[in-house]
Amino acid sequence: MYIVILGAGRVGTQLARQLILEKKDVALIERDSEKARDAANKLDCLVINDEGNNLESLTKAGIQKADIFVSVTASDETNLIACGLVSAEYEKVKTIARVRNLDYSRTKMISNSFLGIDHVINPEIEAAKIISYAISHGARSDIMLFENTSLQMRNLTIRKDSIFIGQSLKSVRQHMDFAFLIAAILRDDHYIIPTGDTEIKEGDQIYIISSEKGFETIFDLEDLGKSELNRITLVGGGHISAYVAEELLDQEPESHFGKTRLGRLLNKKQKKSLQIIEKDYERCKELAERFPQALITHADVTEDNFNEEDFLDDTDLIITATNNQELNLITGIYAKTLGVDKAMALVIRNSYRTIAHNLDIDVTVCLNDTVVNSILKIVRKGNIKNVHALSGGKLEVVEFQIEEDSPIAGKKIIDLKLPEKSLIIFLSHEGQDIIPRGDTVIKSGDYVVLILERESVARMEKLISG
């Protein structure tokens, strides 16, 4: 597979690095000479220092032989024009454009083919979805959802008073009378794909597979009972905060993010109180007009007098979603010292997720990961439904559906030649969730969730697609 990427920023280089690990051929186009030079020194791929919205530079990158073209520059207009140009000239090349700030409707851009572009990805909308799901589940941990199943994956940091400390995974499972599996452990910045004999230690971050009801039991055992989130404060009045506000207020969305289950859930219960804190006065006026039900506060969280005001009084959940990831973490930590129960922070880099959890941030949303994971779902071979990154991007949780002609259809798990340090953590067969054993047979139509090292993705693709 040959992939041309336009834009060597953080997302473009992260995506290129991952695709190279998967043994895919990659060409990277970057207009900035310093970024292009840096990419050429760090990545084992063709790097073109040129504009990417003209046929000459695209031809240099080999667009005529490409399978996929991805445009992730900082300019929405450039991404749309470049993808539109490729679509017009090379009909067989699949095109993917990242679009962040342009005020196009979801119906025209994302749902349908716009300018002949195959896929338009809006990272702000994707991040807002993750935030919304986390709120609807109590904002107690990161949450990874899958299709056609009631099972989900969440993380739990093992505190010194945890009931899990010193127990083997085999022992823990014996005491759980519901679907339960620890799929991975992050310990001292190293990941472990555990066995039944693996012992849980203080400070471990464990990734658990269970149902919503199962997690309620787990959180109760860990004294992390669900608290009411009646007063929510959003710090930063950008696009992500606006999308989340639409959901919380159950308001007709300008973004066409849509009225999802969070809005319906909130509508059934008592109304939530929402405050948005934004430092730009003109933006505050826009937000006040758009969200008359919300309290819009003109304030800068970095100013000394912010600490003297009562902006966070009675706040149950703070969501820090400014463009500064360090500020988001610091503000969330500070809010918890003031008595705010839950803190959720937006970060740009995946490496900040571990830092955030070590600093008592309850939920972390990584903007770069939302983009890269969305693109990988499209690029990967096989009927891929979801991709989630763990352990700073070293591990992946991949959900795929078994097609009729898949080489693994009809085989027992024990007979599969899975990559080393990989594990099928659960599957869904005709609506039934199964924590599999070695003799479990994978059948056509099943939804399978696998955890593996990112370096093993190419082998996984070959295994499921042939």
Side-chain angles (χ1 to χ4, degrees), residues 101-117:
N101 299 322
L102 293 181
D103 190 21
Y104 293 101
S105 78
R106 183 180 175 91
T107 302
K108 292 179 181 178
M109 271 191 55
I110 298 177
S111 298
N112 300 327
S113 183
F114 181 81
L115 295 177
I117 301 169

Side-chain angles (χ1 to χ4, degrees), residues 75-139:
S75 166
D76 292 338
E77 294 89 345
T78 297
N79 295 339
L80 290 170
I81 291 169
C83 283
L85 178 62
V86 171
S87 294
E89 295 293 328
Y90 303 96
E91 292 182 2
K92 293 183 179 179
V93 179
K94 185 182 293 184
T95 53
I96 306 170
R98 177 182 68 175
V99 176
R100 297 181 295 182
N101 299 322
L102 293 181
D103 190 21
Y104 293 101
S105 78
R106 183 180 175 91
T107 302
K108 292 179 181 178
M109 271 191 55
I110 298 177
S111 298
N112 300 327
S113 183
F114 181 81
L115 295 177
I117 301 169
D118 296 295
H119 301 275
V120 175
I121 294 171
N122 186 314
E124 275 79 12
I125 288 178
E126 296 303 318
K129 287 179 181 177
I130 296 170
I131 291 170
S132 296
Y133 284 133
I135 295 171
S136 67
H137 289 82

Side-chain angles (χ1 to χ4, degrees), residues 10 14 22 59 92 103 108 157 174 210 218 258 313 337 392:
R10 288 174 179 167
Q14 182 179 334
E22 296 174 18
T59 302
K92 293 183 179 179
D103 190 21
K108 292 179 181 178
T157 300
Q174 287 174 350
S210 192
I218 294 165
D313 274 9
T337 68

Side-chain angles (χ1 to χ4, degrees), residues 135-154:
I135 295 171
S136 67
H137 289 82
R140 289 175 289 183
S141 66
D142 295 346
I143 181 169
M144 298 169 217
L145 300 176
F146 305 98
E147 295 192 19
N148 200 41
T149 177
S150 62
L151 297 181
Q152 52 192 249
M153 176 180 277
R154 299 200 203 183

Side-chain angles (χ1 to χ4, degrees), residues 267-279:
N267 208 32
K268 291 178 182 178
K269 299 184 179 181
Q270 68 181 89
K271 278 290 183 181
K272 306 294 181 182
S273 171
L274 176 64
Q275 175 183 213
I276 304 175
I277 299 175
E278 167 58 42
K279 66 179 182 179

Side-chain angles (χ1 to χ4, degrees), residues 136-188:
S136 67
H137 289 82
R140 289 175 289 183
S141 66
D142 295 346
I143 181 169
M144 298 169 217
L145 300 176
F146 305 98
E147 295 192 19
N148 200 41
T149 177
S150 62
L151 297 181
Q152 52 192 249
M153 176 180 277
R154 299 200 203 183
N155 62 318
L156 177 67
T157 300
I158 301 301
R159 303 171 300 176
K160 62 182 180 181
D161 58 347
S162 172
I163 64 165
F164 294 114
I165 286 181
Q167 293 198 57
S168 68
L169 267 62
K170 186 188 301 180
S171 173
V172 173
R173 283 197 69 175
Q174 287 174 350
H175 290 88
M176 301 295 182
D177 59 353
F178 51 85
F180 175 88
L181 176 72
I182 296 178
I185 299 174
L186 181 61
R187 178 181 296 164
D188 299 327

